Amino acid sequence: MWERNGNQQPNSTKADLESTARTRMELAYAVHQAANRSSVTDIKDEGYVSVPVLYKIFISAILLILSLEWIYPVTSSDQQGSERFLSVMAGLTGALLLAGLIRTGWITGVLIRLFIALAALCLMYGGSDPARWAVAYPGIFSADMDTFINNWRFHSISTETRGLFMMSGWSMLMASVQSLVFLRRSVMLFGSATLLYLLLLESFAGLDVYASVIRSVLWTFLIQALLQLLRLNAGVTTPSYRGSPYGRWSAVTIVASAGMVLFSAVPGQFASIPQPERISLEQMGERIARWAGYTTQHSSIPAATAVTGYSTADAPMGAPLVPGNSIFFIAKSPEVTYWRGETRSYYNGSTWSDPGQSFETASPSGMLRADGWENPTYWSRIRQTVSMQREWKGPNPLFTGGIPVNVSFQDKNKDNQENMFSLLSNRDSATLWLAGSGNDKMVKHYSADVMVPVATAEQLRLLEETNKGKDPAAIRRSYLQLPASLPGRVQTLAKEIIQGSETRYDAVQAVKTYLAAHAEYTLDTRMPPRGTDFVDDFLFVTRQGYCNHFSTAMIVLLRSEGIPARWVKGFGPGVADPDVPSEYVISQGDAHSWVEVYFPGAGWMPFEATPGFTMAQGAGESVAALAEPQPVAENPPYMSGGLGYAGAWLLARARAIAAEPWLAAALVAAALLGAAALVRMRRLRPALQLGLLLAWPRSSFPDRERLLGAAAPVWAALARRYGPRPPGMTLREYAASPVLAAGADGADIARFAADWERLLYGPDRPLRADSLDFLRRALRLARRLQAL
C-alpha cells in the first residue's frame, strides 16, 4: 500500500504507465549511477525541487549569526585582542559556510577548509604583516611538535598552535552543522547546543548572556522556519505558490519569528526576574576532590597544568607548569640583565598583590627619575632597546633590565609621526606602565635608559659599617608585612637560618644556600591544600617547586627576621643571538620571579632565589656566569625540531621491533588482518548502511531521497555479480532477464525493481510498513550478493 496525496491522477491507465516505462527506467539507472557518485539529492525530477542558491545563502547568513553567539559573550568584556578575535572568527565562519555551499569531493572540501583555517590563523596572530608571520610559523609549529612529543602535554605548545587546533575544530563543527541543516532540514540540534552553552557561561563563568539567549532563540526559530519550506517541498504534499514563493516565505517567517520572541519577552516587563544563583566552582571542586579521595585536611586539590608565561593577574601560586616557547620580545642590551615587569609587596598566604601601589602620569620625552637616588658606586646607566613580538598596548607594563630613568618610542603612525603613549610611573616600585588609552595603538619598539646594580658582595657587606642608618619607616611599613596566619614554625626556621649572619648580605646568602640544599627545582608541582600557607607547604611538606616557590619563601624568611624584601616578576635574560651581538630573544619560557632586598644607602638590590639560575646584578656574581647556559632553564636538545625527534623515535622503535622476530611477525600478521578487514568492510558497507538505517530509532521515517540513496548500492552489487546492464535495457527489464530471474533471488530482485520504480516516480509517499519492507529486501539482497 502506498499513501496517496492530492496531486495523484486517478484515471491513469496501465497502458499509459507502460508507454513511459522504458524512458523512466533509463532515468532510474541514472539515479543509481548518481547515487554511487554522490547522493540522490542531486537528481532533478518532477518529485524534487531545486533550491535557489540565494535561499541557501540567506539561511547560511543567519546560521553565521547564530554561530557567532558562541564567540561574542567571551569577547565582549574589553579584554586585549578581543576585537581582532571576534572579527577573524566571524570571517572564518563566513568563509566556511560559503565553502560549504560549493559541491566538491570530500578531499577537496577538507583542503579548502584547512586553507581557510590557516589564513584565519595568519590574520589572528600575524599582526600588521600576516604574510611574514606565515613564513615564520612552520618553525614555531615544528618547535611545538618537538615539545609535545617530549612531554605529551597539550598546554606545552604555543598559543598560536593551540589557535590552529581550535580553528580546525571550529571548521569541522561548521561543516557538520551546515550539512545537517541542508540534509536533515533541521537546526534544532545546533540551536539547543547553543542555548546550553550560553546557560553554562551564565552559571559557571558569571557572564551576562541574557541578550544572547534571546537572540539565539530568534535565529533558531528563523532558520527552522526557512527550512520548513524545503521540508514541505520534499514531503507528503507539494504546496503551490504564485510568484516568488521563497521571498514571500522568508518575509513571513522573519515577521513570525520576531513576533514570537517579542511576545515571550512581554511578561518580563511586568514582573522582575531574580538573578540566577551562581554555581560555586570552588565548592564544586571541593566536592569532586572529596569524591576522588582527597578527604584529609593535609591533602591538596589537583590543579590544571598551565604554561609558563607572563601575566599581570595575581592568581594563587603552586599550579604545575610546562615550559612555553613562543617569543615575547627581542632586546638589545650591552649587559646581560633580568627584565623587570612588576613588583609585589603584600603576601596573603597563597599569592602576591600590591593594593597600595600608586602611579603618576609621566611624559615619554622627560626624565622619569631625577631625584639623585642613583649612587654611581652601586649603579650604572645603560641603554636598552626592546622589540615586542606580540600585540602590546595599555594597560600593561613595559619591561626594562633595571630601574627606568627615561623611555622613548620608535613606532610611527600612518603620517610617519612618532606615536605618543601615555605612561604611568611608580617611583616606589620602579615600574613603568602603558596607560589604557582606549585606542588601538600598539607598542612595537621602545628604548629605555635604565640603572642596573653593579655593587659587589664586599660593598654590600660594608654598607652596614659605613651607613648606620636604619630602614625608612615607609620601607618597614610596606615590605615587612606577613600574614597573621603564617605558621610559627616558618619564623622559627628563619631565625635558625639567619642567626650568626653578621650582615644583611650574609643573611640573604644564608637563606639562598638553605633553599638550594633543602628543596628541589621542578615544574611538576601541586596546589597546596586549602587553608594551608603556600610557603609553609613548600618548606615543610613538598620541598619541591619552581621560581615562585623559592622567591616567595626567601622573602617570607627574610621578612620574618626584619629584613625588607619584595617580590619581582618579569623575565630571565633570554637566549643570546649568536649572529647578532648584544641581542637576546626572550620567550614565554623565560618568565621568572626573583627577590629584591633593601639596603640602606644603596637601594633595592636583586637576588636570585631559585637553584640553577645566576643573577648578575646585586649578588656579586659575574656577568659572564649569567651568560653561560643554565641547566635548569634550558630545554634538552632534540634533532632538528619536532619532526626530526619523531623520526628518531620511530626509527628506534623500528629497530627494537626488528630485534624481536616474533613481535615483528605478529605486527605483520596484524597489519594483514587489518587490511583484509578494511577490504571486507568496503564490501559490507552497503549492508551496514541499510542495517543502521533500519536499527536507528526515529519518530519519522526517512523520505524518498534517503531511501533511494541507501538502497542504490544494490544495483552495483547486481552488476558485479551478474554483469552490467546492456545498453538500452531498462532496470525492470534487467531485473527480469533470465540470468537474474533464474537465480534464488529472482523474486526479490523483481520486487525490488518494481518498488524502486514506484518509489522514484510514483506520486505517492510510501507508508512506514512498505518502507521497512523495501529496506529489508534491499538489505537481504545486499548481504546475499556480498556473500557470493
Side-chain angles (χ1 to χ4, degrees):
M1 295 294 293
W2 300 82
E3 183 181 356
R4 300 182 178 275
N5 64 14
N7 291 338
Q8 183 183 1
Q9 299 297 330
N11 296 327
S12 299
T13 63
K14 181 177 181 180
D16 295 332
L17 293 175
E18 292 179 351
S19 64
T20 58
R22 181 175 299 275
T23 303
R24 292 192 172 187
M25 285 304 168
E26 292 292 340
L27 289 175
Y29 187 69
V31 169
H32 151 63
Q33 291 180 326
N36 287 335
R37 288 194 304 267
S38 57
S39 126
V40 182
T41 57
D42 296 333
I43 302 164
K44 305 295 186 294
D45 199 358
E46 58 188 83
Y48 304 97
V49 178
S50 176
V51 182
V53 176
L54 289 179
Y55 197 68
K56 288 186 175 182
I57 294 177
F58 182 48
I59 295 176
S60 298
I62 305 176
L63 183 61
L64 166 63
I65 301 174
L66 177 61
S67 303
L68 293 182
E69 297 295 348
W70 287 64
I71 303 170
Y72 178 74
V74 297
T75 58
S76 58
S77 53
D78 298 329
Q79 64 266 42
Q80 180 181 351
S82 62
E83 300 86 356
R84 176 184 289 271
F85 180 77
L86 180 61
S87 60
V88 171
M89 290 302 296
L92 170 65
T93 308
L96 291 172
L97 294 176
L98 285 178
L101 297 178
I102 304 174
R103 189 173 298 279
T104 60
W106 71 271
I107 296 180
T108 305
V110 169
L111 293 177
I112 291 175
R113 289 173 174 84
L114 180 59
F115 175 79
I116 294 174
L118 289 174
L121 187 74
C122 296
L123 293 175
M124 180 79 74
Y125 298 104
S128 59
D129 194 355
R132 183 179 179 183
W133 184 90
V135 174
Y137 177 68
I140 301 176
F141 182 80
S142 178
D144 288 337
M145 294 302 100
D146 183 11
T147 305
F148 180 75
I149 292 174
N150 178 47
N151 54 35
W152 295 104
R153 290 180 176 177
F154 181 75
H155 288 286
S156 63
I157 63 179
S158 65
T159 304
E160 291 82 355
T161 300
R162 278 181 280 165
L164 174 62
F165 289 141
M166 182 272 294
M167 291 182 180
S168 300
W170 183 257
S171 301
M172 291 187 290
L173 174 64
M174 287 298 100
S176 302
V177 169
Q178 191 177 27
S179 298
L180 288 174
V181 166
F182 287 113
L183 292 180
R184 297 298 302 273
R185 307 286 196 255
S186 176
V187 76
M188 299 308 296
L189 179 61
F190 183 63
S192 301
T194 303
L195 293 176
L196 177 61
Y197 165 77
L198 293 174
L199 292 176
L200 290 176
L201 289 182
E202 171 85 18
S203 301
F204 289 96
L207 299 179
D208 185 9
V209 297
Y210 178 75
S212 294
V213 170
I214 296 298
R215 291 194 302 266
S216 298
V217 172
L218 172 61
W219 308 137
T220 303
F221 282 166
L222 184 55
I223 296 175
Q224 191 60 48
L226 294 172
L227 293 173
Q228 191 63 26
L229 177 60
L230 306 183
R231 295 171 67 91
L232 289 174
N233 286 341
V236 180
T237 61
T238 304
S240 59
Y241 303 96
R242 295 181 180 178
S244 185
Y246 291 96
R248 292 188 178 185
W249 186 276
S250 299
V252 172
T253 53
I254 291 174
V255 173
S257 299
M260 291 177 61
V261 173
L262 292 176
F263 179 76
S264 64
V266 170
Q269 304 299 322
F270 299 96
S272 60
I273 302 175
Q275 291 293 330
E277 182 178 355
R278 307 295 184 196
I279 298 177
S280 173
L281 294 180
E282 181 176 327
Q283 296 176 359
M284 181 175 293
E286 292 178 350
R287 293 175 184 175
I288 294 175
R290 288 195 295 270
W291 175 83
Y294 298 91
T295 55
T296 66
Q297 62 178 358
H298 299 293
S299 59
S300 65
I301 299 176
T305 302
V307 182
T308 57
Y310 190 86
S311 172
T312 57
D314 297 311
M317 298 181 292
L321 298 176
V322 292
N325 54 14
S326 60
I327 298 177
F328 206 93
F329 60 89
I330 297 175
K332 288 186 177 182
S333 175
E335 295 184 15
V336 182
T337 63
Y338 278 33
W339 299 91
R340 301 174 81 254
E342 300 173 78
T343 68
R344 295 287 184 263
S345 63
Y346 186 83
Y347 172 67
N348 65 2
S350 63
T351 188
W352 285 97
S353 62
D354 210 337
Q357 278 197 95
S358 59
F359 290 86
E360 59 184 12
T361 304
S363 172
S365 58
M367 295 291 292
L368 301 174
R369 299 296 294 258
D371 47 5
W373 64 271
E374 58 274 15
N375 189 325
T377 305
Y378 308 107
W379 299 86
S380 176
R381 182 166 174 168
I382 63 174
R383 186 169 183 82
Q384 297 175 323
T385 301
V386 174
S387 299
M388 300 300 300
Q389 301 300 300
R390 57 181 54 220
E391 293 183 355
W392 202 248
K393 64 178 182 179
N396 268 311
L398 291 179
F399 300 98
T400 58
I403 309 301
V405 177
N406 61 23
V407 65
S408 60
F409 298 94
Q410 286 76 46
D411 302 321
K412 297 182 181 297
N413 57 24
K414 61 181 180 180
D415 298 326
N416 202 31
Q417 298 176 350
E418 290 188 3
N419 279 332
M420 298 300 293
F421 296 92
S422 299
L423 296 178
L424 298 176
S425 175
N426 187 312
R427 293 192 178 187
D428 177 55
S429 62
T431 55
L432 193 62
W433 278 63
L434 289 168
S437 58
N439 53 37
D440 294 329
K441 290 193 298 184
M442 304 290 179
V443 172
K444 292 293 186 181
H445 311 279
Y446 63 90
S447 298
D449 287 341
V450 298
M451 304 299 295
V452 295
V454 293
T456 65
E458 192 61 30
Q459 287 176 323
L460 294 178
R461 286 191 179 99
L462 293 175
L463 269 175
E464 293 188 26
E465 297 180 5
T466 59
N467 191 333
K468 301 298 183 179
K470 297 182 178 180
D471 299 316
I475 296 294
R476 294 197 306 270
R477 184 170 54 252
S478 299
Y479 299 105
L480 290 178
Q481 173 270 336
L482 289 172
S485 59
L486 183 70
R489 60 180 179 177
V490 175
Q491 296 175 318
T492 302
L493 177 63
K495 186 175 183 179
E496 294 175 357
I497 296 173
I498 296 177
Q499 68 180 357
S501 300
E502 297 181 358
T503 65
R504 180 167 292 187
Y505 177 83
D506 293 331
V508 174
Q509 292 300 319
V511 173
K512 178 178 179 180
T513 302
Y514 176 86
L515 293 176
H518 293 82
E520 177 186 358
Y521 180 88
T522 180
L523 296 178
D524 189 11
T525 58
R526 63 157 176 78
M527 296 288 288
R530 190 170 306 283
T532 301
D533 185 84
F534 175 72
V535 171
D536 180 79
D537 183 67
F538 168 64
L539 291 175
F540 297 99
V541 181
T542 64
R543 295 185 175 89
Q544 290 183 333
Y546 44 88
C547 58
N548 288 347
H549 298 74
F550 286 93
S551 58
T552 303
M554 175 182 275
I555 296 171
V556 170
L557 292 172
L558 291 174
R559 288 185 177 185
S560 297
E561 286 299 295
I563 300 176
R566 67 187 181 190
W567 191 69
V568 188
K569 64 177 180 177
F571 291 91
V575 178
D577 191 331
D579 300 325
V580 182
S582 303
E583 183 167 289
Y584 301 89
V585 178
I586 293 87
S587 67
Q588 289 280 31
D590 296 311
H592 195 51
S593 63
W594 60 96
V595 179
E596 288 183 348
V597 181
Y598 186 79
F599 287 81
W604 290 97
M605 292 290 163
F607 287 86
E608 179 57 77
T610 308
F613 292 79
T614 304
M615 174 75 72
Q617 312 103 301
E621 307 286 353
S622 65
V623 175
L626 181 61
E628 295 176 357
Q630 304 299 321
V632 175
E634 212 175 73
N635 292 327
Y638 299 123
M639 298 174 51
S640 64
L643 297 179
Y645 181 79
W649 184 86
L650 292 174
L651 181 61
R653 300 287 81 74
R655 289 175 177 173
I657 292 173
E660 299 289 341
W662 293 107
L663 180 59
L667 290 177
V668 171
L672 293 176
L673 289 175
L678 288 176
V679 174
R680 185 62 177 168
M681 288 293 293
R682 181 179 177 86
R683 292 181 60 83
L684 292 177
R685 185 176 60 182
L688 290 175
Q689 182 179 1
L690 289 167
L692 290 174
L693 193 60
L694 281 168
W696 188 265
R698 60 183 71 250
S699 58
S700 60
F701 209 71
D703 53 20
R704 283 188 285 184
E705 294 180 3
R706 299 198 65 201
L707 290 173
L708 292 173
V714 174
W715 293 112
L718 288 171
R720 288 194 302 268
R721 178 68 182 89
Y722 297 103
R725 180 179 64 89
M729 179 180 290
T730 65
L731 291 177
R732 178 176 289 194
E733 291 173 346
Y734 176 63
S737 62
V739 179
L740 275 70
D745 303 318
D748 278 340
I749 295 174
R751 180 65 183 274
F752 174 74
D755 288 346
W756 176 279
E757 175 192 1
R758 186 181 305 172
L759 184 63
L760 179 62
Y761 294 108
D764 314 317
R765 181 173 185 247
L767 297 175
R768 183 181 181 87
D770 295 318
S771 299
L772 288 171
D773 185 59
F774 174 74
L775 286 176
R776 292 192 185 102
R777 183 174 294 104
L779 177 60
R780 186 164 57 249
L781 286 173
R783 287 174 174 172
R784 289 178 181 175
L785 293 171
Q786 290 163 0
L788 295 176

